[in-house]
Amino acid sequence: MTKLRLAIVGAGPAGIYAADIALKAERDFDISIDLFEHLPAPYGLVRYGVAPDHPRIKGIIGALREVLDRGDIRLFGNVEYGVDITMDDLKKHYNAVIFSTGATKDVPMDIPGIDLGGSYGAADFVSWYDGHPDVPRTWPLTASSVAVLGNGNVALDAARMLAKHADDLLVTEIPDNVYQGLKASPVTDVHVFGRRGPAQAKFSPLELRELGELRDVDMIVYDEDFVIDPASQALIDSNKQVFVLNKVMNEWRTRETGKASRRLHLHFYANPLELVSDADGNVAALRYERTAPDGNGNGGVVGTGEIREVEIQAFYRAIGYYSSPLKDVPFDAVKGVIPNREGQVIDEAGQQIPGVYATGWIKRGPVGLIGHTKSDAMETIAHVLGDHSTWWTPENPEEGSIVDLMESRGIEYTTAEGWTKLDEYEQKLGEPEGRARIKVVDRETMLKVSLS
Ligand SMILES: Cc1cc2nc3c(=O)[nH]c(=O)nc-3n(C[C@H](O)[C@H](O)[C@H](O)COP(=O)(O)OP(=O)(O)OC[C@H]3O[C@@H](n4cnc5c(N)ncnc54)[C@H](O)[C@@H]3O)c2cc1C
């Protein structure tokens, strides 16, 4: 064996880091890597998840791009595994495959009324405001009062994007349809709900603090949520992040409010029970039960029996992402991951499946920051390289044969050079308005520009 032909499916950060780490690893054989990506553009959730008003994080694209620009990894965008290429194809052309397909859907939620009009998953909203090519161009922003369920950063992203004035997003890459949608929003109140207390919130301090800096938006927190139980106090005293979060929220408790045209409320100790319907089958209220610390010292809560309602016309659940199963690849539907041991994919009996690996959110579940996908990739790559003896033996390992196959199927694949064209095109779109870029949303234009 003189060469490892490696396919990686999914060009988000996990897939790109895996390619980079493999090529930099010490080894006594050559590696050639093909990276397949369903979307015409790479970078996964860095492009289609990270909020547009977080340019510093979006800037990670620059580092990922440097990897693709080196020229030793071939990118094939607009190619969907399971549709355009199959496991059989991969076995014929490669020694091994790594799946790094991430997660794009919302975890389902089961409370009465969850299917009412005006009840949404935050992931769908994120895809809309981040200009994902495969979602509708319009989003129904007609509610004046909105609830967002969840106490993580995605909940804060959704709440901030709902509460922020559209004009304050004009410095970002948001496409015009998103600006117009947000500009027309009549929202006045965004309510974020968490089941547990402020000490148990999973926000990042920076994300939380940012809310307090929104123009013409009052931060509303409620004194009743800040009667801190001993377990929470111990956490605040021992965990720097929890300490900072609570400091930020306590500062908001002392702020003068009432002058802003929009309000962002943080409610804790609130367990959602039901979405109440209006006569037309649309959300009219969120009914929830007030909870309280359960006294077990682990941050758990119990219901108090006190039922409350808040009038809303839209409800967003931001309670987690969920991955999609892939054809001919095992899937753990409970955890929403490809079952694996340190990235080596295993079957139902727990046996390693030769040649098949996973990394990133599809390996570990949809939690953690972009940086975590690097350590994921290191672990997976160590196994890929070490498993030399169990790699597949492909019939057509030549680099040209997979290209011939895709061309014979009429697949319009994009490349790293195509991304450069799209990147330049988006930057030019932004120039007249003094913006760094304006994102192209529709797949046809993305393809036309990339393939030009
Ligand atoms: C709303 C939101 C905001 C976030 N904000 C931040 C932040 O501010 N800072 C931070 O550090 N992290 C943030 N994260 C987390 C970060 O996005 C993830 O840690 C990271 O993107 C996971 O990387 P991944 O490569 O595993 O998956 P992804 O980024 O999801 O990439 C997977 C790629 O696989 C492709 N794919 C899927 N199926 C197929 C298929 N069948 N065939 C071919 N390709 C396929 C997808 O199109 C995608 O490009 C955020 C996440 C979300 C959801």
Side-chain angles (χ1 to χ4, degrees):
M1 173 67 58
T2 54
K3 192 168 199 174
L4 164 65
R5 289 276 293 130
L6 179 61
I8 300 180
V9 178
I16 296 178
Y17 284 137
D20 188 37
I21 289 163
L23 287 165
K24 286 178 176 161
E26 253 188 59
R27 56 199 148 76
D28 53 10
F29 47 82
D30 285 342
I31 301 185
S32 98
I33 297 181
D34 291 343
L35 190 50
F36 295 95
E37 168 55 50
H38 169 45
L39 296 174
Y43 313 122
L45 285 169
V46 188
R47 186 171 157 95
Y48 292 115
V50 171
D53 57 347
H54 284 173
R56 196 178 57 82
I57 309 292
K58 289 270 188 209
I60 292 175
I61 284 179
L64 297 173
R65 186 198 170 137
E66 276 176 26
V67 176
L68 296 180
D69 278 353
R70 272 201 329 247
D72 49 7
I73 300 161
R74 293 194 302 185
L75 172 70
F76 297 114
N78 201 36
V79 181
E80 185 176 6
Y81 170 83
V83 176
D84 300 311
I85 52 162
T86 64
M87 184 65 97
D88 281 347
D89 298 329
L90 295 177
K91 284 187 176 164
K92 280 188 190 135
H93 294 86
Y94 299 92
N95 300 105
V97 58
I98 302 175
F99 289 98
S100 47
T101 47
T104 46
K105 291 190 194 148
D106 289 284
V107 171
M109 185 176 174
D110 189 19
I111 56 168
I114 195 71
D115 295 325
L116 290 174
S119 165
Y120 310 108
D124 291 335
F125 180 53
V126 168
S127 292
W128 173 74
Y129 71 60
D130 238 349
H132 194 293
D134 297 342
V135 304
R137 290 300 98 85
T138 55
W139 187 267
L141 286 162
T142 52
S144 58
S145 176
V146 181
V148 177
L149 177 67
N151 261 191
N153 286 337
V154 176
L156 292 195
D157 278 348
R160 190 181 69 254
M161 290 299 288
L162 287 162
K164 198 164 181 166
H165 286 280
D167 285 335
D168 295 338
L169 286 162
L170 266 183
V171 288
T172 74
E173 63 184 32
I174 55 162
D176 194 52
N177 66 304
V178 174
Y179 170 70
Q180 297 300 344
L182 292 169
K183 178 86 182 155
S185 166
V187 75
T188 56
D189 291 87
V190 178
H191 300 266
V192 177
F193 287 92
R195 291 184 171 95
R196 302 192 291 163
Q200 284 77 38
K202 298 283 177 241
F203 310 136
S204 299
L206 268 179
E207 286 247 0
L208 184 73
R209 198 176 278 128
E210 192 181 349
L211 298 182
E213 290 156 12
L214 298 180
R215 181 179 64 83
D216 191 32
V217 178
D218 275 344
M219 285 309 301
I220 313 284
V221 284
Y222 295 87
D223 286 346
E224 62 175 359
D225 290 337
F226 289 83
V227 180
I228 304 292
D229 66 299
S232 297
Q233 190 59 54
L235 204 56
I236 293 168
D237 293 342
S238 62
N239 182 313
K240 178 97 189 295
Q241 175 154 323
V242 179
F243 174 81
V244 175
L245 291 176
N246 275 264
K247 191 165 170 243
V248 171
M249 289 186 270
N250 273 309
E251 192 263 313
W252 291 340
R253 291 172 69 194
T254 63
R255 269 195 195 178
E256 191 194 334
T257 56
K259 295 210 176 89
S261 69
R262 293 180 174 180
R263 286 159 295 281
L264 207 162
H265 311 247
L266 298 183
H267 303 264
F268 297 94
Y269 296 115
N271 183 34
L273 297 177
E274 179 182 2
L275 292 177
V276 181
S277 178
D278 68 9
D280 300 320
N282 295 315
V283 173
L286 168 67
R287 186 169 292 151
Y288 64 95
E289 181 181 11
R290 180 92 182 141
T291 63
D294 63 9
N296 291 335
N298 56 8
V301 289
V302 286
T304 62
E306 183 191 338
I307 309 298
R308 298 183 181 179
E309 256 184 39
V310 57
E311 267 186 45
I312 51 168
Q313 302 84 42
F315 174 81
Y316 293 76
R317 64 180 193 280
I319 53 170
Y321 270 59
Y322 191 78
S323 299
S324 303
L326 297 160
K327 196 162 185 290
D328 298 325
V329 183
F331 189 68
D332 178 335
V334 176
K335 294 187 185 144
V337 298
I338 298 176
N340 69 89
R341 230 175 353 248
E342 299 186 346
Q344 295 169 315
V345 175
I346 54 175
D347 63 17
E348 272 179 15
Q351 295 297 312
Q352 185 189 346
I353 302 178
V356 186
Y357 299 84
T359 196
W361 273 17
I362 191 73
K363 163 188 176 184
R364 181 169 43 83
V367 283
L369 299 174
I370 296 161
H372 296 132
T373 64
K374 208 179 227 178
S375 33
D376 272 346
M378 287 168 91
E379 185 183 68
T380 297
I381 288 299
H383 283 299
V384 174
L385 303 184
D387 289 347
H388 203 149
S389 61
T390 60
W391 293 343
W392 301 328
T393 310
E395 282 167 34
N396 306 109
E398 319 77 46
E399 289 179 359
S401 65
I402 188 75
V403 177
D404 293 344
L405 177 81
M406 289 193 291
E407 285 180 355
S408 73
R409 288 182 184 165
I411 298 167
E412 286 190 300
Y413 60 86
T414 59
T415 59
E417 293 76 48
W419 158 251
T420 303
K421 289 181 189 166
L422 182 61
D423 185 34
E424 285 168 0
Y425 182 87
E426 289 187 339
Q427 290 179 36
K428 282 219 175 68
L429 281 184
E431 259 170 34
E433 297 177 31
R435 296 161 66 182
R437 79 170 61 234
I438 297 177
K439 206 182 237 176
V440 172
V441 184
D442 90 287
R443 203 179 251 266
E444 260 172 48
T445 311
M446 291 177 81
L447 281 177
K448 206 170 106 200
V449 173
S450 302
L451 298 173
S452 62

